Amino acid sequence: MKRVKRFTALTLAAVVTVSLCLTGCGNSSKQQNTQEDAGSTTESSKTTPKGSGKITIFQSKTEIMDKLNALAKEYTDETGIEVEVWETTGDNYYSDLKTGMSTGAGPTLFSLQPGAESKEMFDYLEDVGDLSFVDKIGAGMADEIDKKIVGIPYTVEGFGLVYNSNLVKPDEIASMDKLVSFLEKSKADGVNGLGLSQEDYFLIAHILNAPFAVQDNPEEYFQKVMNGEERMVDNKAFQEFGTIMEAIRANAANPVDTTYDNNCGSFATEKTAMIHQGNWCYSMFADFDVTFDMGIAAVPVAGNNKISVSVPAAWYINTDKSDEEKALAKDFLNWLYTSTTGKFYLTEEFGFIPTVAGMTSDNLDPISQSVSDAVVAGNTIPWVMSSWPAGIVTTDLSPIAKEFFTTDMSADDFLNKLNDAFVAAK
């Protein structure tokens, strides 16, 4: 029996839990379809004495919530350790987490975006460098702060121009001029050339990452913007970004009026040639009879031909918990990344691209495979947005983008407003 808790400001004051019966999956098919890791594999509950104790989990990826609950039940059945998964709507996850941690009502195990979020929360993060599989994590993927490994990556994710091969070829959008021409032609042909959607990250954060990431030293350039030492409007990559955004406004469906679901549906039904999205969006196509080939291409600013790839979220352990509870959380992470059941959920149920050596998946969707191929080939640019001030996307950047898409604001004014928001948030 697992308890699923909706973690909000209200429940921080009075912790209320709702008991739900969860149904788990059998292990037989998983054991046949999952390759064994070179590391250790947890023994089944038939041969290992069950322990006692409890951990709580609070994490931001709402799309895996049901499967995470099923995983939690399997872990309890196998080990005897109770796992309580706290529910979130996603939008308020980070603010709810911070409130809970500051009041001592935080979870045992939780997720953060490596970068600005994990640095802000560093005082709450336990050192997890002693986990059994840490030395098998891909280079640069574990979250390390002050020479201490504190975060274990969920997966890698990549985003860019997800395209329908029937409607557009990569060489047709390989430069700013070509992309603008394609959008104009698509409008004339009655096709939506490039879809964005109204949600904060899908509207502005992801696509704005590209001009930052193509700089010679992305982090250094970003810091100069924050310090008021550089202006985006004076930079070629941002100038081309502004031109592309104007072309989207003039020739494509208004993203302010487009939801993520509708954007993905329009692409799946071949009414939209491209969407600026990531490999996570493939799950949205399950309800459609998608027969066309697809891939992911770069946002072509300043000659860029690489997609944005990074670790979107990592697991962290609450250092304020008891030594016993922290040890249980480490046991859970070791099991998740080395056991047959845990690896099956990570790669097959959650659909994550593996980040640990020896963990493989033969079930990657086409977009995830493209991201994986880009990682192997080195055709990636970083997520500079991970260094942006926490909360700036929702409170500042998204309102500016919505204003841009609903007025005749010039590209220069758009860039200056975005720039000023970064300076003000320093």
Side-chain angles (χ1 to χ4, degrees):
M1 185 80 71
K2 300 289 178 303
R3 290 176 292 169
V4 178
K5 185 187 303 177
R6 185 171 297 279
F7 195 64
T8 64
L10 178 61
T11 58
L12 292 173
V15 179
V16 180
T17 59
V18 180
S19 294
L20 296 177
C21 291
L22 302 173
T23 302
C25 303
N27 283 339
S28 58
S29 62
K30 294 193 287 287
Q31 292 170 343
Q32 293 172 0
N33 297 324
T34 305
Q35 295 188 18
E36 290 296 333
D37 182 41
S40 61
T41 301
T42 302
E43 297 287 339
S44 72
S45 59
K46 294 180 180 179
T47 58
T48 301
K50 291 186 177 181
S52 62
K54 172 184 171 181
I55 62 171
T56 54
I57 297 177
F58 188 46
Q59 64 89 42
S60 58
K61 291 185 76 66
T62 58
E63 65 269 27
I64 68 168
M65 192 65 71
D66 289 344
K67 292 173 180 177
L68 181 60
N69 276 304
L71 169 69
K73 183 182 186 303
E74 293 215 35
Y75 186 70
T76 299
D77 290 346
E78 188 170 314
T79 67
I81 305 302
E82 182 181 359
V83 179
E84 181 180 308
V85 178
W86 294 355
E87 188 178 344
T88 178
T89 59
D91 293 340
N92 299 318
Y93 170 78
Y94 187 56
S95 60
D96 286 346
L97 176 66
K98 288 196 295 183
T99 301
M101 299 296 270
S102 66
T103 60
T108 319
L109 189 64
F110 56 96
S111 69
L112 292 170
Q113 181 174 306
E117 288 186 358
S118 62
K119 288 177 182 177
E120 184 177 35
M121 299 289 284
F122 178 65
D123 289 344
Y124 296 102
L125 309 183
E126 178 74 3
D127 186 340
V128 293
D130 58 346
L131 291 173
S132 67
F133 59 92
V134 162
D135 61 344
K136 297 178 183 176
I137 297 174
M141 292 184 185
D143 191 8
E144 185 174 348
I145 305 176
D146 291 347
K147 299 181 179 180
K148 183 167 69 173
I149 295 176
V150 294
I152 302 302
Y154 276 46
T155 181
V156 290
E157 289 181 346
F159 54 78
L161 302 176
V162 176
Y163 62 89
N164 177 338
S165 297
N166 291 342
L167 300 177
V168 57
K169 304 301 181 186
D171 61 359
E172 294 181 272
I173 54 171
S175 70
M176 179 203 72
D177 289 338
K178 287 184 175 182
L179 177 56
V180 171
S181 294
F182 176 80
L183 294 178
E184 293 171 347
K185 180 179 182 298
S186 295
K187 182 180 181 181
D189 293 341
V191 176
N192 188 35
L194 174 55
L196 302 178
S197 62
Q198 63 191 215
E199 295 79 11
D200 297 336
Y201 274 80
F202 300 155
L203 179 66
I204 184 62
H206 289 170
I207 197 167
L208 181 60
N209 182 74
F212 278 111
V214 300
Q215 304 299 319
D216 290 338
N217 188 325
E219 286 293 335
E220 180 181 287
Y221 178 82
F222 167 65
Q223 290 303 323
K224 287 183 176 180
V225 169
M226 288 278 289
N227 294 335
E229 300 168 8
E230 292 277 4
R231 297 294 299 181
M232 289 151 52
V233 73
D234 298 324
N235 182 275
K236 179 181 179 181
F238 282 95
Q239 291 166 357
E240 293 194 357
F241 169 77
T243 299
I244 290 171
M245 295 296 275
E246 284 185 320
I248 294 172
R249 183 176 62 185
N251 299 287
N254 192 330
V256 175
D257 299 325
T258 306
T259 66
Y260 170 60
D261 287 4
N262 289 340
N263 196 36
C264 291
S266 181
F267 177 77
T269 55
E270 301 195 75
K271 297 173 184 175
T272 294
M274 294 180 289
I275 54 178
H276 190 277
Q277 268 299 332
N279 54 290
W280 56 80
C281 76
Y282 192 80
S283 63
M284 297 296 294
F285 308 147
D287 294 332
F288 299 91
D289 185 19
V290 175
T291 59
F292 58 84
D293 291 333
M294 64 184 73
I296 186 166
V299 177
V301 291
N304 177 50
N305 61 359
K306 300 178 180 181
I307 62 173
S308 300
V309 175
S310 189
V311 174
W315 294 109
Y316 300 85
I317 293 176
N318 185 350
T319 196
D320 287 345
K321 293 298 183 180
S322 68
D323 289 343
E324 179 183 7
E325 195 168 339
K326 288 186 289 188
L328 291 177
K330 288 183 177 182
D331 288 344
F332 175 82
L333 288 176
N334 276 323
W335 177 88
L336 181 61
Y337 282 83
T338 66
S339 73
T340 298
T341 303
K343 290 185 294 180
F344 173 83
Y345 270 87
L346 288 172
T347 59
E348 307 301 318
E349 294 291 340
F350 299 167
F352 287 172
I353 298 172
T355 61
V356 175
M359 187 187 301
T360 61
S361 175
D362 296 324
N363 196 34
L364 293 180
D365 63 73
I367 308 177
S368 294
Q369 188 62 59
S370 293
V371 172
S372 182
D373 292 344
V375 171
V376 171
N379 292 329
T380 66
I381 52 177
W383 286 12
V384 185
M385 65 181 192
S386 297
S387 298
W388 296 353
I392 192 174
V393 174
T394 297
T395 59
D396 298 289
L397 305 185
S398 181
I400 293 168
K402 288 174 181 175
E403 182 184 2
F404 172 79
F405 280 113
T406 54
T407 67
D408 59 357
M409 183 191 300
S410 70
D412 283 358
D413 287 344
F414 179 46
L415 293 174
N416 281 324
K417 283 177 177 285
L418 294 172
N419 202 125
D420 291 343
F422 282 111
V423 173
K426 181 185 177 185

